[in-house]
Amino acid sequence: MKRRDFLRNAGLGLAGLAARPYVHGPWFQGRASRETDIVIFGGGAGGLCAGIQAARQGAEVVVLEPSPWVGGMLTAAGVSALDGNKYGAGGGLVHEFREALADHYGSIDALFTGWISLYCYEPHVGHGILKEMIAPLDTLTVLRGVEATGYERVGPRERRIRVTEADPAYGPPVCTDADQTITCSVFVDATEYGDGLKLAGIPYRLGRESQAQTGEEAAPETPDKEMQDLTYAATLVKQPGAEALPVSALDREHFDFFQCSTKLDCPNPDEKLLGHTVHSWERFITYAELPNNKVLLNWPHHANDFPSPVAMFEDRYYRRRHLAAAKQHTMQFVRYMQTELGHSEWQLATDEYPTADNLPPIPYIRESRRLVNDHVMKQSDVVPDGDNPRAPVIEDSIAVGDYFLDHHHSKHHLPPDCRLDEDFPDNEPFQVSPNVFFPENGDDSFLVGEKSIAVTHIVNGCTRLQPVVMLMGQAIGAIAAHAVSDGSAPADVPVPRVQESLLDAGCQLYIMYDVPTGHDLFRPVQNLALQGVLRADDPTRLHPDQPMPAEWAVKWATRAGMPDAVTTNETTDSLTQEDVSGRLAEALPMDYGSSSISRGAFVTALNSLTQ
């Protein structure tokens, strides 16, 4: 069944879709079963980007989002400060999203309001931008307030998905005779919790792996169930003269926990004892400052981080109770700020979220169920060898990231004798292989994204951030769309075809910060990286207008199969015309004479000869 018939039979005409790009609430009408190409369970940062990319490639896509908002941690969880993938590392849909934010606020510099991120914004603005990105795509349907509750293999590629209205309080859904089914050829788990993995019976892991399991020096000696904290973020607005919220006796019992979140209330500011730096109030309140006198409350030190026990993932009744407690914890910290710290001017913003309590619709989940396969990303995949400026380079890159191994655990701040100690090495710009998306249990129609990809607990610290999750989602969408058009399994789609689609969409597959999408050298740099000319020992900034070092020229020409094209032995000098011979000299845009050849000109010429 084509999507036009799908919508007509469901009572959702195309004209209605154009005016209302997604549907919320009871949609179970008409026929009890539907067909589409791709079903994506989860409309968060990764799932929505997967849907957008797949639809742009012509696939028919249905996204199932349990919450009332799309965007996940970008919007619905309120984490409206993009972490990592700065400058040219934010290509593809990340670039589109950032540019739309810049258009809204007047410039890209207008987003640099908080010191934690170059790109800060109000959640409702981000959500509006995502809706605008969805609206033109008439093969993409986003259904809110529903979730997948059944997964059945009905053929070599066909999967029948049971769809049920979601419990807004995060408890288990109640299946009824009114439930519908959607048959698809590709299913993507892009949920915040990895719920699709469990639904489909795909092997997964919760908690930390041991050194023996992964070979990671920073892993614990024995595996355990420690997971990164979740956070119920809050968006606050400055309202001078506002009164503090009422404080109960129960609230006050918890206020001691918040001591030393700032210097304003810290009886013993011994940083070795506390396990963290104690910041001033000004440093705290400007951490994630947003436009229009707002701040994102997502502070890691004795504030609104909250434990993520394994039971929260495996028991939906427990999840509901635990997330209610996490909300209460955040509100207690807000009351603590207003009373004990004396800053009642910071109030919950009432114009951000479609919720009665003015908190985000969903919590910020940093770590979830993680796929287990034979290609799990490990510490060695994101940490450079020796003095290299980037992690080991891979030929099948489909996404990039650059954030550090950032882990949130409240237990990091316990007294030293009972503290959870994690000492991670410094990582650098890294690439992601599509192998982290594919299960190896014989299910050829399943893909996994968001925080549930095949990574270790350690590596989750740098792959869980919004931009890299968006870029991985975009890659998943490209893979899924090619699988549909080819009639093949997603894992069988040739990687070069996926890479070409992603490059066409402006996605960097190799980080060069000063050569972003839209730059004249974007494709030449990416092409040379995919051909193995640019590698892990090469710089992360090209500085295209600067003179080309002869040392680089010799190295890159040799890797490109032209060892005799650069004739100089003075590798400490800049490259000149007389140092270049043969076809490479002919490919230069001009005769430089005794002047230095620029890096950009050399890259352009070398790329033209390697196509």
Side-chain angles (χ1 to χ4, degrees):
M1 177 185 292
K2 294 297 183 182
R3 179 178 178 276
R4 187 177 300 273
D5 297 328
F6 176 111
L7 293 170
R8 184 181 297 114
N9 290 333
L12 306 172
L14 288 175
L17 183 68
R20 185 177 56 177
Y22 38 70
V23 182
H24 181 59
W27 63 284
F28 310 102
Q29 49 186 307
R31 297 178 56 174
S33 62
R34 305 284 178 255
E35 294 179 2
T36 191
D37 294 329
I38 302 165
V39 169
I40 300 173
F41 183 15
L48 195 66
C49 287
I52 290 171
Q53 179 65 29
R56 287 180 178 178
Q57 289 183 216
E60 296 182 349
V61 187
V62 175
V63 175
L64 309 175
E65 170 50 43
S67 82
W69 264 20
V70 294
M73 52 184 166
L74 285 171
T75 54
V79 192
S80 55
L82 299 183
D83 294 314
N85 286 68
K86 302 180 292 294
Y87 313 114
L93 291 171
V94 174
H95 175 76
E96 288 186 37
F97 185 70
R98 288 194 327 212
E99 288 300 300
L101 289 171
D103 288 344
H104 177 87
Y105 289 108
S107 71
I108 199 72
D109 292 338
L111 307 180
F112 189 23
T113 49
W115 56 265
I116 192 59
S117 171
L118 296 176
Y119 315 105
C120 300
Y121 56 95
E122 296 160 282
H124 79 274
V125 172
H127 187 250
I129 288 170
L130 294 180
K131 289 169 64 177
E132 291 173 359
M133 294 169 71
I134 295 169
L137 301 172
D138 63 3
T139 61
L140 173 62
T141 301
V142 179
L143 302 173
R144 300 174 297 158
V146 298
E147 64 177 297
T149 55
Y151 181 90
E152 181 184 2
R153 302 188 196 187
V154 292
R157 294 279 177 273
E158 293 76 20
R159 301 294 180 265
R160 183 179 295 130
I161 312 303
R162 182 174 181 138
V163 182
T164 304
E165 288 192 67
D167 177 3
Y170 313 106
V174 179
C175 299
T176 71
D177 292 339
D179 292 353
Q180 282 199 350
T181 61
I182 304 178
T183 301
C184 60
S185 57
V186 177
F187 179 84
V188 179
D189 177 8
T191 60
E192 301 294 327
Y193 304 92
D195 286 338
L197 287 170
K198 185 171 184 177
L199 188 67
I202 305 292
Y204 61 84
R205 177 177 287 118
L206 288 161
R208 301 193 298 177
E209 301 90 347
S210 68
Q211 292 178 6
Q213 288 174 314
T214 66
E216 297 171 307
E217 293 182 4
E221 292 186 2
T222 58
D224 57 37
K225 297 302 182 183
E226 296 290 349
M227 298 186 67
Q228 288 206 58
D229 287 359
L230 66 89
T231 300
Y232 242 107
T235 304
L236 307 181
V237 62
K238 191 172 186 178
Q239 297 179 345
E243 295 184 1
L245 293 170
V247 175
S248 69
L250 179 62
D251 293 333
R252 291 200 178 278
E253 288 181 9
H254 287 79
F255 282 180
D256 285 351
F257 173 84
F258 302 131
Q259 285 187 328
C260 295
S261 53
T262 74
K263 290 181 178 179
L264 286 182
D265 180 24
C266 190
N268 184 5
D270 184 336
E271 295 183 1
K272 289 185 178 180
L273 179 65
L274 294 170
H276 65 85
T277 301
V278 184
H279 292 275
S280 67
W281 168 262
E282 186 64 23
R283 187 77 170 160
F284 160 77
I285 204 63
T286 58
Y287 168 77
E289 188 173 358
L290 309 178
N292 295 321
N293 291 318
K294 294 177 181 176
V295 297
L296 157 63
L297 184 58
N298 180 33
W299 187 244
H301 306 312
H302 293 281
N304 54 329
D305 281 359
F306 202 69
S308 295
V310 166
M312 184 187 72
F313 295 89
E314 302 293 58
D315 184 334
R316 292 288 293 269
Y317 290 102
Y318 185 93
R319 183 184 300 179
R320 178 165 56 189
R321 294 194 300 271
H322 192 74
L323 294 182
K327 273 191 178 186
Q328 183 183 45
H329 181 73
T330 292
M331 288 307 302
Q332 286 168 338
F333 184 73
V334 171
R335 294 184 178 99
Y336 168 81
M337 286 174 54
Q338 294 178 344
T339 56
E340 299 302 297
L341 300 186
H343 284 281
S344 61
E345 73 274 17
W346 288 103
Q347 300 281 324
L348 287 177
T350 59
D351 60 347
E352 284 295 338
Y353 307 110
T355 55
D357 57 13
N358 296 314
L359 289 175
I362 66 172
Y364 180 22
I365 303 296
R366 293 183 176 87
E367 184 176 359
S368 63
R369 297 181 178 95
R370 304 189 308 280
L371 174 68
V372 175
N373 66 17
D374 291 335
H375 298 88
V376 174
M377 277 184 73
K378 303 174 183 177
Q379 176 182 315
S380 58
D381 295 312
V382 299
V383 174
D385 294 327
D387 295 328
N388 286 344
R390 56 178 85 234
V393 170
I394 57 177
E395 63 181 13
D396 60 346
S397 169
I398 46 75
V400 293
D402 65 357
Y403 209 65
F404 68 100
L405 291 167
D406 181 26
H407 282 244
H408 283 236
H409 293 278
S410 299
K411 292 181 180 180
H412 284 170
H413 311 315
L414 293 174
D417 59 345
C418 54
R419 179 177 299 161
L420 176 67
D421 280 322
E422 291 185 314
D423 185 15
F424 300 133
D426 293 333
N427 63 304
E428 296 294 346
F430 59 89
Q431 298 166 302
V432 180
S433 164
N435 290 325
V436 299
F437 305 145
F438 307 128
E440 294 168 350
N441 69 333
D443 192 336
D444 292 336
S445 295
F446 194 99
L447 287 159
V448 63
E450 276 288 331
K451 278 82 72 173
S452 295
I453 60 172
V455 294
T456 63
H457 166 82
I458 291 175
V459 173
N460 166 261
C462 65
T463 59
R464 65 175 177 81
L465 291 313
Q466 310 102 316
V468 68
V469 168
M470 293 173 72
L471 294 173
M472 290 190 297
Q474 191 165 3
I476 288 171
I479 293 168
H482 281 301
V484 168
S485 64
D486 295 349
S488 68
D492 293 336
V493 175
V495 173
R497 288 186 63 203
V498 177
Q499 291 173 325
E500 188 65 22
S501 294
L502 295 173
L503 290 173
D504 286 345
C507 297
Q508 276 205 358
L509 306 180
Y510 176 91
I511 287 180
M512 193 68 78
Y513 286 111
D514 56 353
V515 185
T517 179
H519 195 288
D520 289 343
L521 294 175
F522 175 74
R523 286 303 288 259
V525 165
Q526 298 302 310
N527 290 340
L528 292 176
L530 292 177
Q531 293 170 43
V533 176
L534 300 179
R535 300 181 185 175
D537 60 349
D538 290 310
T540 58
R541 285 177 172 79
L542 182 63
H543 300 293
D545 296 330
Q546 292 186 8
M548 180 68 188
E551 179 182 8
W552 294 8
V554 171
K555 178 173 63 174
W556 293 355
T558 300
R559 290 174 178 173
M562 293 177 278
D564 299 326
V566 180
T567 57
T568 180
N569 292 320
E570 301 297 329
T571 56
T572 59
D573 296 339
S574 298
L575 195 70
T576 62
Q577 187 77 34
E578 64 182 18
D579 299 324
V580 183
S581 63
R583 292 190 303 134
L584 185 56
E586 295 172 359
L588 291 171
M590 58 178 283
D591 187 337
Y592 287 84
S594 60
S595 300
S596 296
I597 298 171
S598 71
R599 301 175 185 186
F602 185 85
V603 165
T604 300
L606 191 62
N607 176 66
S608 70
L609 299 177
T610 57
Q611 296 306 298

